[in-house]
Amino acid sequence: GRTVQRLILTEAVNNLHPGLREAVVLSDLHGLSMEDVSSRTGVPVGTVKSRLSRARRQLRAHLTTAGLVPTVRSTPSADTVTL
């Protein structure tokens, strides 16, 4: 159920490289803009975009391997990751 899905997602996020994890958590889980993520992390917006792209690709692969179909949402919510 949802608990298993949440555990798999948490594992996938925790397995990301720290820079990728920070970008995806700030952007997709906390809803910060790329500019705000850039300001918080001290890296250029272009780097934030690159990190988000790589993180989402890795998360998608992890979730697919685990047998889950990632959800694409136009508005992030606290319990989903936009891929």
Side-chain angles (χ1 to χ4, degrees), residues 12-53:
V13 171
N14 287 337
N15 285 335
L16 292 172
H17 180 277
L20 302 180
R21 182 174 52 243
E22 182 178 40
V24 81
V25 167
L26 290 174
S27 175
D28 293 343
L29 298 180
H30 293 289
L32 296 181
S33 69
M34 288 193 199
E35 292 77 14
D36 288 339
V37 174
S38 172
S39 176
R40 275 226 183 150
T41 60
V43 299
V45 172
T47 301
V48 172
K49 288 180 183 182
S50 175
R51 288 179 179 181
L52 285 172
S53 177

Side-chain angles (χ1 to χ4, degrees), residues 1 4 35 37 53 62-63 71 73 80:
V4 172
E35 292 77 14
V37 174
S53 177
H62 186 96
L63 296 176
T71 302
R73 298 180 63 109
T80 62

Side-chain angles (χ1 to χ4, degrees), residues 3-13 59 62-63 66-68:
T3 302
V4 172
Q5 291 174 348
R6 196 175 291 264
L7 290 172
I8 292 169
L9 178 58
T10 299
E11 176 187 7
V13 171
L59 288 170
H62 186 96
L63 296 176
L68 300 176

